[in-house]
């Protein structure tokens, strides 16, 4: 992936990317910035192109590795981040993942698709999806981006 060039990003893209590192959905980013979800999607497409990412997970992980994180304001009526993620506040007990789940989470955090994870581990794509469902439940994550960001925060990936 290309090196992140902050000068290539507009101030709005920079702000959206910072919120993406929190694992926020397009809807929550739009609420926080008082813009439409379509505008968020358009900015994300531009961000992916500029930093060489293919999806939101890669973009969020890359930005987090570059130290681009922020405590995003919570939109009126939105739940606090730990509730949005369905899970634990910082400092609470770390969920226990099986060795296979940790391995899948590592591969996910490296940006691999379910298909590539399945090929790498010589298991079916359906088995990968089942493991990911279990991982999301244990982490309190709602999607692969949140799970991958968690993996990076706890040091499962470099």
């Amino acid at each position: 992936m290309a090196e992140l060039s902050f000068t290539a990003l507009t101030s709005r893209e920079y702000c959206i990317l910072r919120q993406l590192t929190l694992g926020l959905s397009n809807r929550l980013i739009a609420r926080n910035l008082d813009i439409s979800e379509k505008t968020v999607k358009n900015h994300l497409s531009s961000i992916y192109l500029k930093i060489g990412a293919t999806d939101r997970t890669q973009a969020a992980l890359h930005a987090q590795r570059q130290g681009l994180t922020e405590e995003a304001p919570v939109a009126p009526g939105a739940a606090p981040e730990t509730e949005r993620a369905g899970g634990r506040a910082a400092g609470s007990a770390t969920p226990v993942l099986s060795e296979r789940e940790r391995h899948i989470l590592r591969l996910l955090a490296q940006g691999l698709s379910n298909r590539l994870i399945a090929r790498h581990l010589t298991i079916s794509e359906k088995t990968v999806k089942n493991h990911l469902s279990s991982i999301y439940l244990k982490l309190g994550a709602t999607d692969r981006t949140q799970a991958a960001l968690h993996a990076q925060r706890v040091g499962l990936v470099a």
Side-chain angles (χ1 to χ4, degrees):
M1 195 175 331
E3 276 302 306
L4 181 61
S5 171
F6 296 119
T7 58
L9 299 177
T10 66
S11 60
R12 179 63 80 176
E13 290 168 344
Y14 183 77
C15 188
I16 288 171
L17 188 57
R18 289 181 73 154
Q19 292 204 13
L20 190 65
T21 64
L22 297 172
L24 299 181
S25 67
N26 289 358
R27 176 173 285 154
L28 287 173
I29 292 171
R31 283 185 193 164
N32 285 343
L33 299 178
D34 198 28
I35 58 178
S36 73
E37 285 184 61
K38 177 66 175 161
T39 301
V40 172
K41 288 179 184 178
N42 289 339
H43 283 300
L44 286 173
S45 294
S46 177
I47 290 167
Y48 300 161
L49 193 69
K50 289 177 179 180
I51 68 171
T54 58
D55 59 32
R56 68 188 299 114
T57 303
Q58 285 184 358
L61 289 169
H62 188 71
Q64 192 174 55
R65 280 192 300 272
Q66 298 295 320
L68 180 61
T69 58
E70 137 180 320
E71 291 300 318
V74 176
E81 181 190 357
T82 55
E83 291 177 28
R84 284 193 307 267
R88 300 159 173 82
S92 64
T94 303
V96 177
L97 300 177
S98 70
E99 185 59 38
R100 177 66 97 183
E101 288 170 339
R102 284 194 303 276
H103 196 181
I104 287 173
L105 187 55
R106 264 187 235 105
L107 295 171
L108 172 82
Q110 291 172 7
L112 273 64
S113 66
N114 290 356
R115 177 172 289 158
L116 290 175
I117 292 170
R119 285 184 189 161
H120 183 78
L121 298 176
T122 60
I123 58 177
S124 74
E125 210 170 327
K126 175 67 174 151
T127 301
V128 172
K129 289 178 185 179
N130 289 338
H131 281 298
L132 287 174
S133 293
S134 176
I135 291 167
Y136 298 162
L137 184 64
K138 289 178 180 181
L139 297 180
T142 57
D143 58 34
R144 65 192 302 115
T145 301
Q146 288 180 354
L149 290 168
H150 172 82
Q152 193 166 53
R153 273 193 303 272
V154 300
L156 281 176
V157 290

